[in-house]
Amino acid sequence: MILAVALVWQVVLAACVHLLTRRLGRDAGYPLAAGFLLTAGLLLLPLPVLLADATVTVDWRWLPSLDVSAALRMDALALVFALLVLGVGALILAYCPRYLGSGAPHTRTYLLLTLFATAMLGLVLANDLLVLFVFWELTSVLSFVLIGQGRPAAGPPAVRALLVTSGGGLALLTAVVILTLDLGTSDLGRILAEPERLEGGPAWAVGALVLVAAFTKSAQVPFHFWLPGAMVAITPVSAYLHAATMVKAGIYLLMRFSALFGGRPAWNLTLLAVGLLTAVLGAFLALRQYDLKALLAYSTVSQLGLIIGVVGVGSPASDAAAILYTVAHALFKATLFMLVGIIDHEAGSRDIRELSGLPRVMPATAVFTAIAAATMAGLPPTIGFVGKEAIFEALAEASPLPWSGQVAAGLGVLASVLTFAYAARLVHGVFTGPLRQQGLRPPRRSFVAPAGVAAVLAVALGPSVTVLSPLVQRAANDARPQGEPPYLAFWHGFTLALGLSALTVGLGTLLFVLRARVDRQLRRLPTTTPFAVWFEAGRLRLLRLGALVARPARAYGPATFLLRPVLAVPVLAVAAVVGIGSLPPPADGASRPGDVVLLVLLVLTLAGLVMVRSALGAVGLTGAVGLLLSVWFVTAGAPDVALTLMLVEVLTTIVVMLVLRRRPPRLPPDGVPRARLLGAALAGVTGLAAAAGTVALTGRRDLSDPGRFLLAEAAPVTGGSNVVNTILVEFRALDTLGESVVLAVVALGLVSLSDRVTRPGRDIPARPPDPVLVFAHRLLAPVTLVVSGLLFVRGHEEIGGGFIGALLAGTAVGLGHIAYAGSPAPLLGRLRTRPLLVAGLLLCVGVGLAALPLGRPFLTLGKVGLPGGATLPFSSSLLFDLGIYLIVLGLIVAAVRRLDVSSRPVRAGEPG
């Protein structure tokens, strides 16, 4: 259970962010950092078990019929990445309080960073393909929000990052579907333990799709262009994305799936080629940068490519080297980003050409920057030196093709030479020469301390790398159980790897000494790779295509929107006559004598609705149509549907009244006579086609097998006699939950739209409340609420339920808005959309999750237990239905308020 506790604790931290920022402001980063360290400590408790070649797992059945479980699993490889996520995350959160200004959105930044860490943690601990995919996509969405928050200029880079990584997410989803269908399970542990089961076409398809997903996430050629653009994010976000989270997800995915594909030459060769090409290209582009954050961004591209290239070697030594260098990269890249943020914060610039002499004012910053740059360049005694030597040694052993070892080692050295050169440029450009900036002050110690901790660790772990060796070896074995990885040590004697390191330092120094000549040559070359240009051109063409497709819908008035479905009905009718053939005879008792009376009344009402010119008359006749249909449903034996339709009609009338409050009392003319005749003819043909389809396709078959099952088993299985309600909250509760999420998203969209389009001080005269309507509302609202509660409580046994009860309560809300003419109504007028939605969603999801610790599938808790073995006199479905009630009521409140504020002045401080 320790894995579940760790994830739940992270969610609790996210839930506490608002409270912490209210009490502590930007200093809330410190307790959040402590919370991250506590999670890391929890995950370290089973370390002896992991080192003994065991795993920690927790498994809850999610969808038993599909063999899908909410399964978590931690081995040594998952632990390494989890510690990076949490450890670097703690440093970033401790760095934020001094970086974020007093007016910065502290709550949003801390909340997103905490949720991002939680999503990344869930990704590395997931033991089910679907769970892994969900967390994978969460990292993409959260990174989009993190990159794009705060500044309008951040929008396009954030969208670019989302499109690229979401494209990789679609590739991963396809791979998950293929694997699950081909192997009959989504259990990641079982799939990786039996790689021989995946053969033939599925193996090639899944391997290619996983590579695309990882390359997009880890910014490999040709998808590397999104990562430098993401530098528009604030420095803490950039540091976290580059050092330990977003881009490391691709590394983790490749290392995890190497157990499945690592023995295939095409997999290894692709990783080796793409990784080393990216390493060289990224280092070359970094050498051309003068902006410190851009330099570090391209450096991340290069370092990730080097790691992926080493994974492609496919040996125990290469896996260990990749894991060790992943740790080293997290330390020095987090340090450098934090220090660059300090320099930018204090000096007001990130341009190397404008900075110099900073050690005179900020000596600690200079020392830690030099240490991090030395780690990145692979100089002793840092962990970067040990990691770089391990990489050189592994690359020299590459053997997919003849001479591949020599070529791979040569490309690795070339990338490292360029890395040394831009690391030297960074240190020399910022910290040598005279001090140019005036009025600089040394940063506070608490500002520098998080970067200092990472820098000191980078140095300390070099000579003491033997401390990490058991964990790294075990993680390499977990990634690809094919042999014993070498023991890591700081000194291995005079080896080939040491010679390549010396060559790297020598050539890198020469490149730095000749930097003036090198810069002249670099300026002659293009500043960007063509991939970004091609991507942007493709995106613009896609947008133009979308605009072309959507052009018919860009029209005012309903005629354009109605034309296509009205034309489609006769076309479908003709196709049905040609293709369906003979139909079974109608069932006995499909029609009743009273149906003719209702049909005649409907025709007369609709005829009056077509001819009436009064807006109020049209509203009344529309409601009459709904009432007649409700009566028809009652006679057909569907009282739940009838009551729902009647309440929807009442709400529709309220909505229309809100809209018509500032509109003319008469409807506009229909247009020219020819158009009216054409519309009438088309409507007649469509109506006849729809009626013929109804006659042909209804009342001709017996009750279906699912219908018989539900009618027979609803009461014994659920304890409820209202089959409609038991279907919604018991048998297909997961579908209902998904629909409720859609409703919540719509409601939030309405609230956001209302916030954007309504402003205080609109020039619309307010009118006083109507005394008659106010009296009626005061009389009817309490009765309506009582009946709403009764309908909700009895929904499992009789007509009612959360949806119907919420519709009735929403009716009272709408009547209050009409009666009080926009003034806040007592009690109901003070309902808030967001709290209703949040409470409803949390209740629905909480009821579902409460079943998992008991070993039951999601949303199957049953009776609510109490201490001592007692149970409450209701099942969890009632609580789930209460969540539905709150969500639907929140949507109605949002819709009514949105329509109400669009026709009256907005008062300052009014809730949205």
Side-chain angles (χ1 to χ4, degrees):
M1 291 295 291
I2 195 169
L3 305 182
V5 171
L7 274 179
V8 170
W9 172 245
Q10 286 294 122
V11 175
V12 170
L13 284 178
C16 293
V17 165
H18 182 69
L19 177 63
L20 289 172
T21 52
R22 285 186 62 184
R23 296 293 299 272
L24 302 175
R26 59 181 179 176
D27 289 339
Y30 296 126
L32 290 173
F36 274 45
L37 293 178
L38 178 59
T39 309
L42 286 174
L43 296 180
L44 278 172
L45 291 178
L47 179 60
V49 175
L50 302 182
L51 295 180
D53 194 17
T55 59
V56 178
T57 60
V58 60
D59 192 338
W60 295 295
R61 293 182 300 161
W62 184 267
L63 299 174
S65 60
L66 299 178
D67 194 23
V68 176
S69 298
L72 303 175
R73 175 176 177 268
M74 184 173 70
D75 55 11
L77 179 64
L79 177 62
V80 169
F81 280 88
L83 292 178
L84 291 181
V85 170
L86 296 168
V88 175
L91 294 175
I92 297 299
L93 287 171
Y95 171 82
C96 282
R98 302 283 72 82
Y99 180 88
L100 298 175
S102 57
H106 309 127
T107 302
R108 182 174 181 177
T109 300
Y110 285 138
L111 176 62
L112 290 173
L113 287 174
T114 306
L115 290 176
F116 194 84
T118 305
M120 190 68 191
L121 187 62
L123 191 156
V124 300
L125 296 179
N127 194 41
D128 187 273
L129 289 175
L130 293 177
V131 176
L132 184 146
F133 170 74
V134 168
F135 282 117
W136 179 278
E137 285 300 280
L138 280 177
T139 59
S140 295
V141 174
L142 290 170
S143 66
F144 163 73
V145 181
L146 279 166
I147 294 169
Q149 68 170 339
R151 287 169 290 181
V159 171
R160 191 179 304 119
L162 179 66
L163 291 176
V164 174
T165 55
S166 296
L170 291 175
L172 181 61
L173 176 61
T174 308
V176 167
V177 172
I178 295 174
L179 273 176
T180 303
L181 293 177
D182 189 67
L183 301 181
T185 180
S186 60
D187 188 305
L188 185 58
R190 288 173 54 189
I191 292 172
L192 298 179
E194 303 171 353
E196 66 279 356
R197 294 178 57 197
L198 187 66
E199 295 295 340
W204 289 97
V206 172
L209 292 167
V210 170
L211 288 174
V212 171
F215 289 166
T216 55
K217 205 78 154 185
S218 291
Q220 299 298 285
V221 173
F223 309 107
H224 64 284
F225 55 85
W226 72 263
L227 189 58
M231 288 302 95
V232 295
I234 60 175
T235 297
V237 171
S238 300
Y240 203 29
L241 294 182
H242 285 243
T245 51
M246 179 76 166
V247 295
K248 291 299 195 302
I251 302 292
Y252 174 79
L253 188 72
L254 292 174
M255 300 199 71
R256 184 57 78 194
F257 275 86
S258 288
L260 190 62
F261 299 107
R264 306 173 191 270
W267 171 273
N268 292 335
L269 187 60
T270 302
L271 291 180
L272 195 63
V274 173
L276 292 179
L277 174 62
T278 305
V280 174
L281 179 62
F284 174 76
L285 294 173
L287 188 61
R288 303 167 59 187
Q289 307 303 315
Y290 294 102
D291 183 282
L292 290 175
K293 282 188 73 173
L295 185 151
L296 294 179
Y298 283 109
S299 167
T300 300
V301 172
S302 175
Q303 304 300 317
L304 293 174
L306 193 61
I307 295 171
I308 288 177
V310 175
V311 174
V313 174
S315 66
S318 67
D319 291 337
I323 294 169
L324 180 63
Y325 200 72
T326 299
V327 175
H329 178 261
L331 290 174
F332 70 70
K333 195 52 61 76
T335 304
L336 286 171
F337 267 109
M338 286 189 282
L339 293 172
V340 166
I342 292 173
I343 293 171
D344 187 21
H345 192 275
E346 302 297 334
S349 176
R350 300 195 306 257
D351 195 317
I352 295 177
R353 295 166 296 187
E354 299 176 359
L355 300 170
S356 65
L358 297 186
R360 293 173 174 81
V361 179
M362 43 183 72
T365 302
V367 170
F368 293 142
T369 303
I371 291 173
T375 308
M376 182 169 62
L379 294 177
T382 66
I383 190 176
F385 167 73
V386 184
K388 197 66 70 73
E389 280 207 338
I391 284 178
F392 289 153
E393 185 175 350
L395 289 176
E397 297 176 356
S399 57
L401 296 173
W403 296 93
S404 57
Q406 293 86 333
V407 173
L411 291 175
V413 169
L414 176 58
S416 300
V417 168
L418 296 171
T419 300
F420 185 96
Y422 64 69
R425 166 181 287 191
L426 187 156
V427 175
H428 179 271
V430 174
F431 298 112
T432 61
L435 181 63
R436 300 181 186 177
Q437 285 71 28
Q438 302 298 321
L440 282 182
R441 293 181 300 176
R444 298 175 62 174
R445 293 180 180 179
S446 58
F447 199 5
V448 184
V453 170
V456 169
L457 281 175
V459 174
L461 289 176
S464 59
V465 71
T466 52
V467 176
L468 291 178
S469 186
L471 180 59
V472 172
Q473 288 178 294
R474 185 69 262 152
N477 241 326
D478 290 334
R480 188 163 16 196
Q482 58 175 348
E484 189 63 28
Y487 189 78
L488 298 174
F490 180 72
W491 176 254
H492 290 282
F494 294 97
T495 60
L496 173 63
L498 181 63
L500 294 177
S501 294
L503 179 63
T504 297
V505 173
L507 293 178
T509 303
L510 179 63
L511 200 60
F512 171 71
V513 171
L514 301 175
R515 60 186 177 279
R517 185 179 304 175
V518 171
D519 285 348
R520 285 196 297 269
Q521 297 298 324
L522 292 176
R523 283 194 291 268
R524 299 177 181 177
L525 300 175
T527 57
T528 59
T529 56
F531 301 109
V533 178
W534 296 341
F535 176 85
E536 193 63 24
R539 187 180 73 87
L540 293 176
R541 289 192 182 97
L542 189 61
L543 289 175
R544 285 196 290 268
L545 177 61
L548 183 64
V549 172
R551 183 178 297 173
R554 292 181 179 178
Y556 297 98
T560 304
F561 299 100
L562 291 174
L563 181 62
R564 282 172 287 178
V566 166
L567 287 175
V569 172
V571 172
L572 290 174
V574 173
V577 170
V578 174
I580 289 181
S582 61
L583 293 170
D588 293 335
S591 299
R592 298 172 178 81
D595 292 346
V596 176
V597 177
L598 288 172
L599 182 60
V600 171
L601 291 175
L602 271 175
V603 171
L604 293 175
T605 306
L606 287 170
L609 179 60
V610 171
M611 300 175 63
V612 71
R613 299 271 70 83
S614 167
L616 188 60
V619 172
L621 289 172
T622 302
V625 171
L627 181 62
L628 288 171
L629 289 175
S630 298
V631 173
W632 207 335
F633 279 122
V634 171
T635 62
D640 283 80
V641 179
L643 182 57
T644 303
L645 178 60
M646 186 173 66
L647 290 174
V648 169
E649 288 296 334
V650 173
L651 276 172
T652 303
T653 302
I654 292 173
V655 167
V656 173
M657 294 301 295
L658 288 172
V659 172
L660 294 179
R661 191 162 56 188
R662 302 293 179 179
R663 298 294 185 271
R666 297 191 63 80
L667 298 175
D670 291 338
V672 297
R674 179 181 297 179
R676 294 171 61 183
L677 289 175
L678 180 62
L682 183 58
V685 172
T686 303
L688 289 174
T694 303
V695 171
L697 301 177
T698 58
R700 295 179 182 273
R701 65 182 178 88
D702 197 4
L703 187 64
S704 65
D705 291 336
R708 289 193 188 92
F709 171 82
L710 292 171
L711 289 174
E713 300 295 331
V717 172
T718 67
S721 55
N722 183 355
V723 180
V724 174
N725 185 263
T726 57
I727 291 173
L728 292 175
V729 301
E730 299 271 9
F731 291 106
R732 55 178 295 268
L734 190 62
D735 292 341
T736 304
L737 177 60
E739 294 162 359
S740 302
V741 172
V742 174
L743 291 179
V745 171
V746 171
L748 290 175
L750 287 172
V751 172
S752 301
L753 182 63
S754 182
D755 292 342
R756 287 178 178 271
V757 303
T758 58
R759 295 291 185 270
R762 294 188 59 182
D763 296 329
I764 299 177
R767 63 183 181 87
D770 189 304
V772 176
L773 292 177
V774 168
F775 174 77
H777 179 261
R778 288 179 177 176
L779 181 65
L780 294 176
V783 177
T784 304
L785 290 179
V786 171
V787 176
S788 170
L790 289 175
L791 286 172
F792 162 68
V793 171
R794 60 177 279 179
H796 215 48
E797 304 293 336
E798 303 291 342
I799 299 173
F803 187 80
I804 292 176
L807 290 177
L808 188 57
T811 301
V813 173
L815 289 175
H817 277 265
I818 292 177
Y820 286 86
S823 301
L827 185 61
L828 292 177
R830 301 187 183 278
L831 290 175
R832 308 290 194 275
T833 300
R834 291 186 179 94
L836 288 171
L837 297 177
V838 172
L841 286 175
L842 288 178
L843 190 57
C844 290
V845 176
V847 169
L849 294 176
L852 299 183
L854 302 178
R856 306 188 64 177
F858 185 69
L859 284 173
T860 59
L861 180 59
K863 287 289 185 179
V864 180
L866 295 173
T871 59
L872 292 176
F874 55 84
S875 67
S876 60
S877 61
L878 184 67
L879 297 177
F880 180 81
D881 213 12
L882 178 59
I884 303 301
Y885 182 102
L886 296 175
I887 292 171
V888 174
L889 182 58
L891 174 62
I892 295 172
V893 170
V896 171
R897 182 163 290 149
R898 169 69 187 93
L899 293 170
D900 192 23
V901 298
S902 65
S903 59
R904 63 175 176 83
V906 181
R907 293 163 176 80
E910 182 176 320

